[in-house]
Amino acid sequence: MRLSFGDCIFDGPSRQLHRAGAPVHVPPKTFRLLEVLLEQRPAAVSKETLMDTLWPGVFVAEGNLARLVAELRDAIGDDAHAPRFVRTVSRFGYAFHGEAAAAPAHGEAHAGRGPAPPFRLLRGDAEIQLVDGENVIGRDPAVHVPIDDGSVSRHHARIVIDGFAARLEDLGSKNGTFVHGRRVEGVVPLRDGDPIRLGSVALVFRRFEPGGPAPTETAAAS
């Protein structure tokens, strides 16, 4: 099982977790906890089942599981007070409730489809390269597109790139996400040149075809 969620990639066969493109050290039991929750998503898994799976044949206090969940949340950048991935089910257990999608095997991201055109966000003269999969935008320095501005929430919005298509979704931000001046409700497809506003921060979404002008050349001409 190889899945992507947020800015993370869970790679079951290699027993690895990557976040924002970098490997994350995850202890074996914490990795197994994430694996079980991903396998059972979106169903909730009871504390008893998780403890029997993680500590088979051994009696452990429930606090050990709680500490493991806290360790997992720290590894994937989740927040217990505003969970995006691991949800606590009161008096029962835990569930993975975020959006997770199959991640391509190494070197197979666009097999048989040709190279996908690069996608970028422009903020003034700055260019931010977007990657295939989920690109979270927010004030948290750990997200893929960090924006240090008080009007932007820690996890404000996300752009999901799927080959040649891109879509934008607000993540419950305080000041809203807008495309062409309209507030984003649900999922909005993005097209080349779409103006995006997060709080008071203005961005432009660009799609550059292979062999076309460089982003700086196109921006200068527009």
Side-chain angles (χ1 to χ4, degrees):
M1 180 173 61
R2 183 174 160 84
L3 297 170
S4 65
F5 57 92
D7 58 352
C8 298
I9 293 181
F10 171 90
D11 193 333
S14 68
R15 314 303 291 174
Q16 288 185 313
L17 177 70
H18 285 77
R19 182 178 171 198
V24 178
H25 172 69
V26 183
K29 285 193 186 301
T30 308
F31 190 90
R32 179 59 178 146
L33 171 61
L34 176 58
E35 185 174 44
V36 172
L37 293 177
L38 285 170
E39 288 173 344
Q40 300 300 319
R41 72 187 193 285
V45 185
S46 70
K47 294 177 183 178
E48 291 78 9
T49 298
L50 289 172
M51 292 168 72
D52 287 344
T53 301
L54 297 169
W55 294 277
V58 178
F59 174 79
V60 295
E62 193 174 295
N64 288 298
L65 178 60
R67 284 191 289 273
L68 216 60
V69 170
E71 191 173 75
L72 172 59
R73 283 176 169 147
D74 184 61
I76 63 177
D78 205 12
D79 185 344
H81 301 291
R84 298 170 52 225
F85 304 118
V86 179
R87 177 172 60 92
T88 300
V89 182
S90 180
R91 299 183 180 180
F92 182 77
Y94 300 92
F96 187 94
H97 74 142
E99 180 180 331
H106 297 295
E108 297 180 358
H110 303 290
R113 298 168 58 182
F119 295 90
R120 290 180 173 85
L121 283 176
L122 306 186
R123 183 186 180 191
D125 295 331
E127 300 170 6
I128 305 161
Q129 179 76 49
L130 302 177
V131 299
D132 196 60
E134 188 174 75
N135 300 263
V136 176
I137 312 169
R139 203 173 67 251
D140 186 340
V143 302
H144 184 76
V145 185
I147 297 179
D148 187 13
D149 187 280
S151 67
V152 175
S153 299
R154 291 184 69 249
H155 297 93
H156 195 108
R158 63 182 167 193
I159 294 176
V160 178
I161 305 296
D162 181 12
F164 289 82
R167 60 186 186 272
L168 172 68
E169 181 182 2
D170 184 80
L171 295 176
S173 66
K174 179 180 179 181
N175 294 317
T177 302
F178 300 81
V179 176
H180 289 283
R182 295 183 178 181
R183 187 162 191 149
V184 170
E185 302 287 350
V187 178
V188 174
L190 290 174
R191 297 173 178 81
D192 183 37
D194 278 349
I196 301 171
R197 180 165 57 83
L198 280 64
S200 61
V201 175
L203 306 166
V204 178
F205 174 78
R206 297 306 314 269
R207 166 180 167 170
F208 297 97
E209 300 288 350
T216 49
E217 295 170 352
T218 308
S222 58

